[in-house]
Amino acid sequence: MSRYEPPIQINPKILNLVAEISELLGRYAERERRAHSLRLRRANQIRTIHGSLAIEGNSLSVDQITAVLEGKPVIAPPREVQEVKNALAAYDSFHIYQPEKESDLLAAHQLLMRGLTDESGRYRSGGVDVMSGKEVIHMAPPANQVPRLMYDLFNWLQHTEHHPLVASAIFHYEFEFIHPFADGNGRMGRLWQSLILAKWNPLFANLPIESLVHANQLDYYQAIANSTAQTNSAPFVEFMLGVISQTLRQQILNEEQENDQDVEQRLESQLELRLESNLAAKVLLFIRDQALSKSELAALLGHKSISGELNKQVKALLEKQWIQMTIPDKPTSRQQKYELTPQGKELLQQLSQ
């Protein structure tokens, strides 16, 4: 008897996205090694949970989910708080699940839907429709077919030769088509795709893909509908690979910005030690790229007027020849601005290394 093979037509767009994601993963891996990994991973996990639950209608914000994680009281519907607690527990157990084991899927569902449905941890006993508002957009297979369909799907996953990026998205689509549970199918499908990807590359364990799925929720459901109408999971695979690519690009950008902020803070601290004044350090950094007047410096410092301390530090920097006037022969000119001297530029360059 031949194994079930989900219908998909691999096209150039899918192949290009796989290559693009592979390249982005290399860049992301290098940045994550230099990042504050534990803090970033926790933040990304919270964003993942927020995105996945928000798609299903949960109204808790990122701050509220963080409060639940920290054991703080949250004013919200009890069911939604329970959904968050369950999701946190499920993602904490992420590392023990094996994506090719059907028993692990059932165990994860039991944890994810604990106290939310009478059928947590087991396949549905009745029919289920996928709704968009009041419209039925998909009628799932009969309940008595679910065990066989899920067995076939896991058997395919264990033997498929598709690239994990493609296989994970195919599994996600097939899972949503079968809709094996009475409730929690969306969050379980997204969780299991992340698990398949994390087994291939551990970076995916903490990549907040669900945040972008939530931001493109209508496109997510449309991709499912398109794949069903075409009997071809390619539209959904394209959508999910596009989301993964976008997520990686955003994470790389965020970490580059955070790294730039860290570098700036370290430079400011070193300048403060050297100049024995935080205000003087800020002045040097403000005029690093352009000449500024005292009024402009005061505004950047958040001051309403030129303070005596600002006058004092500008004078000290002039005396130490770290800065110079742009109009030196007219010290009191209204057009007077201040810029770095060659010595000032050299100082910043030395401390930046």
Side-chain angles (χ1 to χ4, degrees):
M1 184 176 175
S2 62
R3 276 198 303 268
Y4 172 68
E5 190 67 30
I8 182 171
Q9 297 174 8
I10 301 296
N11 57 46
K13 183 175 181 180
I14 289 174
L15 295 175
N16 288 337
L17 282 166
V18 168
E20 181 180 290
I21 291 167
S22 298
E23 188 270 331
L24 288 169
L25 279 170
R27 291 169 56 192
Y28 180 57
E30 178 60 31
R31 281 160 177 77
E32 198 190 55
R33 277 195 290 271
R34 298 197 302 260
H36 308 296
S37 297
L38 187 60
R39 177 171 58 83
L40 284 174
R41 286 172 187 165
R42 204 53 169 168
N44 283 344
Q45 185 186 69
I46 289 169
R47 288 175 59 203
T48 292
I49 290 169
H50 172 259
S52 191
L53 292 180
I55 294 169
E56 308 301 327
N58 189 293
S59 64
L60 268 69
S61 66
V62 168
D63 288 342
Q64 286 176 307
I65 291 173
T66 304
V68 172
L69 173 64
E70 295 171 351
K72 297 176 182 177
V74 172
I75 300 173
R79 180 182 174 87
E80 294 191 3
V81 174
Q82 186 64 42
E83 286 178 340
V84 169
K85 289 180 177 178
N86 289 357
L88 287 167
Y91 277 89
D92 280 343
S93 300
F94 191 85
H95 64 286
I96 69 172
Y97 297 134
Q98 295 297 316
E100 69 280 359
K101 291 181 66 175
E102 190 173 0
S103 58
D104 280 0
L105 177 90
L106 294 170
H109 184 263
Q110 185 171 33
L111 192 55
L112 195 63
M113 301 306 294
R114 182 177 52 197
L116 300 173
T117 175
D118 293 335
E119 294 187 293
S120 64
R122 62 181 188 268
Y123 295 138
R124 56 184 165 87
S125 57
V128 63
D129 298 327
V130 182
M131 307 290 292
S132 177
K134 296 182 179 180
E135 180 185 358
V136 177
I137 59 173
H138 174 57
M139 186 174 293
N144 63 1
Q145 296 296 314
V146 169
R148 176 185 62 81
L149 292 171
M150 291 303 295
Y151 172 84
D152 287 346
L153 182 57
F154 273 97
N155 191 38
W156 166 81
L157 182 63
Q158 292 163 13
H159 297 95
T160 183
E161 295 182 359
H162 282 300
H163 190 286
L165 285 164
V166 176
S168 68
I170 294 174
F171 183 96
H172 187 167
Y173 167 72
E174 291 284 324
F175 181 92
E176 300 305 339
F177 180 86
I178 298 168
H179 239 61
F181 298 112
D183 194 10
N185 292 286
R187 65 199 81 170
M188 277 301 302
R190 292 185 291 275
L191 172 67
W192 225 250
Q193 177 169 8
S194 294
L195 187 63
I196 294 166
L197 289 170
K199 184 177 180 182
W200 170 60
N201 189 320
L203 287 173
F204 281 101
N206 303 290
L207 201 63
I209 297 169
E210 275 92 341
S211 293
L212 264 179
V213 173
H214 176 230
N216 298 276
Q217 188 171 344
L218 292 178
D219 292 335
Y220 171 73
Y221 287 121
Q222 188 60 53
I224 292 175
N226 290 345
S227 286
T228 301
Q230 297 175 28
T231 318
N232 174 19
S233 58
F236 185 76
V237 172
E238 289 177 16
F239 170 78
M240 287 306 304
L241 294 185
V243 164
I244 292 169
S245 176
Q246 278 185 271
T247 302
L248 282 167
R249 289 181 186 280
Q250 189 60 54
Q251 286 296 109
I252 291 169
L253 178 61
N254 290 346
E255 291 183 17
E256 284 176 346
Q257 291 173 342
E258 185 165 307
N259 185 58
D260 288 345
Q261 291 172 357
D262 289 344
V263 169
E264 194 76 0
Q265 288 170 357
R266 287 197 297 271
L267 179 56
E268 184 176 325
S269 296
Q270 290 175 309
L271 277 171
E272 183 177 352
L273 287 172
R274 182 70 175 267
L275 303 174
E276 299 181 346
S277 166
N278 179 257
L279 192 149
K282 288 182 181 296
V283 167
L284 278 191
L285 291 174
F286 286 148
I287 65 173
R288 174 175 43 185
D289 299 318
Q290 60 179 332
L292 296 170
S293 67
K294 285 184 181 178
S295 296
E296 290 170 327
L297 287 168
L300 288 170
L301 290 164
H303 300 166
K304 293 182 179 179
S305 59
I306 301 170
S307 65
E309 183 63 19
L310 177 58
N311 277 321
K312 175 184 173 182
Q313 293 304 328
V314 168
K315 181 180 179 182
L317 290 169
L318 286 167
E319 290 173 351
K320 294 175 183 176
Q321 297 186 348
W322 298 126
I323 66 173
Q324 62 191 9
M325 297 179 184
T326 55
I327 313 175
D329 54 335
K330 296 181 179 179
T332 59
S333 170
R334 290 183 178 181
Q335 306 301 316
Q336 189 64 261
K337 295 190 176 187
Y338 301 89
E339 62 187 1
L340 291 177
T341 61
Q343 296 96 308
K345 291 177 182 177
E346 186 178 350
L347 173 65
L348 288 181
Q349 186 174 4
Q350 288 174 350
L351 295 179
S352 297
Q353 294 175 349

